[in-house]
Amino acid sequence: MEQQCILITGAGGYIGTSLVPALLLSGHRVIAVDTFWFGRELLAKHPNLTCIQQDSRQMPENLLRGVDSVIDLAALSNDPCGETFSDATWEINHLSRARTARLAKQAGVRRYLLASSCSVYGFNTGTLDETSPTKPLTTYASANLAAERDTISLNDNNFSVTALRLATLFGFSTRMRLDLVVNSMCYSAWRHGEITVNGGGTQVRPLLYVADAAQAFMRLLNPDIPETAGQIINIGRADQNLQINSVAETIAQFYRTAKNRPVSIRHDGPQDVRSYRVSFEKMNRLLRWEPATSFDESLPDIARFLIHSRREELLKCHTLDWYRANNLISTCSEAREPTPLHESNENFGSP
Ligand SMILES: NC(=O)c1ccc[n+]([C@@H]2O[C@H](COP(=O)([O-])OP(=O)(O)OC[C@H]3O[C@@H](n4cnc5c(N)ncnc54)[C@H](O)[C@@H]3O)[C@@H](O)[C@H]2O)c1
């Protein structure tokens, strides 16, 4: 694939810190735009990387000039954050991403990829594909759905927009998250010797390895697959639609055998009858691709991370606690309207 200049918002996050090195390794130039709430140092210096500390809600259009593709990851990235900071979630996850897409189109960017989520399906029965009805149940899911609508509507022959509905991610990344089901169960097993399963555990959820999510974005940058323009695509692996009980049992067993640690499983809360499987056939067909890694294969890396991390480093991995403890999240009136365009380059960091 030809070298591109790719601007990534939220590049310092869980997906971004896996995706940016992979793009650089493929020879692309990357402009990483982030508030860097988890630290600037998580992205290693590279001659083809420019890091810009910038809130996406106020991103000026000039940053987008000369950019070939935008990958829009900036978000408050889970349900608890969405409910705690609902106004900021609407601003960042919906309005700001719609605004970034509009500015990108104005600036002549060719391709825009939105990180959405399978959570837009809410909880449903049966196997869900992209034509299934959506039922967002939380602020986070509703904002994703609104962002899909307002970005996909900008798609035309000159501006290709694709929304990726990602399954729930797992695995090690440089900015590590311990608020995702697999990673969080590993943390509980390691730290407390106990995994708590809420809702009975028979409910099914789709899972996806974080480095495979990065690969999906990379495949979608390829101009040889034009049929993805204007599309919403579920991203995940069919055999990783898994029952929560079996995820917990596999993790407990891993700690018992590989780490010689006794781990029990505790059930809590009322039965959750809401359960869904997601179909990834459209992704298989259009991207001619399948994610490589199953969740059990990621466990040794997660365990290694937990053993080698200092306590203070682990605090950052609990996203909502980190935001709260450091008072990081506020609303921003400029998110409501595009800001005037500035010609200044004062926000450019050094490569
Ligand atoms: N991780 C998952 O399981 C998963 C699943 C489905 C969808 N997604 C979506 O993928 C995207 C990235 O998720 P992640 O797991 O990397 O989350 P993350 O919380 O690790 O990263 C988000 C990044 O965005 C930055 N950010 C937040 N608001 C910003 C703003 N206003 N301006 C600039 N930067 C800002 C943060 O500093 C952080 O580095 C999100 O849109 C998320 O909803 C993630």
Side-chain angles (χ1 to χ4, degrees), residues 89 111 117 179 226:
T89 296
R111 185 166 289 241
S117 160
D179 54 286

Side-chain angles (χ1 to χ4, degrees), residues 7 31 33 52 54 59-65 67 347-348:
L7 183 143
I31 301 173
V33 175
I52 300 173
Q54 167 72 61
M59 186 162 68
E61 191 208 23
N62 65 325
L63 286 190
L64 291 152
R65 300 222 184 110
V67 166
N347 282 315
F348 275 95

Side-chain angles (χ1 to χ4, degrees), residues 33-49:
V33 175
D34 200 299
T35 46
F36 292 114
W37 283 326
F38 303 99
R40 157 71 187 84
E41 71 290 349
L42 297 178
L43 291 174
K45 284 188 193 300
H46 187 285
N48 281 344
L49 172 65

Side-chain angles (χ1 to χ4, degrees), residues 6-24 29-45 48-56 59 63 69-77 92 97 100 113 115 173-177 210 214 217 323:
I6 300 156
L7 183 143
I8 306 180
T9 71
Y14 180 62
I15 298 176
T17 54
S18 284
L19 176 58
V20 169
L23 287 167
L24 292 169
R29 284 190 296 125
V30 175
I31 301 173
V33 175
D34 200 299
T35 46
F36 292 114
W37 283 326
F38 303 99
R40 157 71 187 84
E41 71 290 349
L42 297 178
L43 291 174
K45 284 188 193 300
N48 281 344
L49 172 65
T50 304
C51 287
I52 300 173
Q53 186 157 21
Q54 167 72 61
D55 193 308
S56 62
M59 186 162 68
L63 286 190
S69 300
V70 168
I71 300 179
D72 214 354
L73 303 176
L76 301 185
S77 56
I92 299 170
R97 296 198 288 180
T100 297
L113 303 178
S173 185
T174 309
R175 133 69 175 153
M176 189 53 174
R177 284 182 61 181
V210 60
F217 282 102
Y323 283 160

Side-chain angles (χ1 to χ4, degrees), residues 94-115:
H94 170 221
L95 296 176
S96 178
R97 296 198 288 180
R99 175 180 176 277
T100 297
R102 280 198 305 275
L103 291 182
K105 186 169 179 170
Q106 275 171 37
V109 172
R110 303 284 300 179
R111 185 166 289 241
Y112 172 92
L113 303 178
L114 177 78

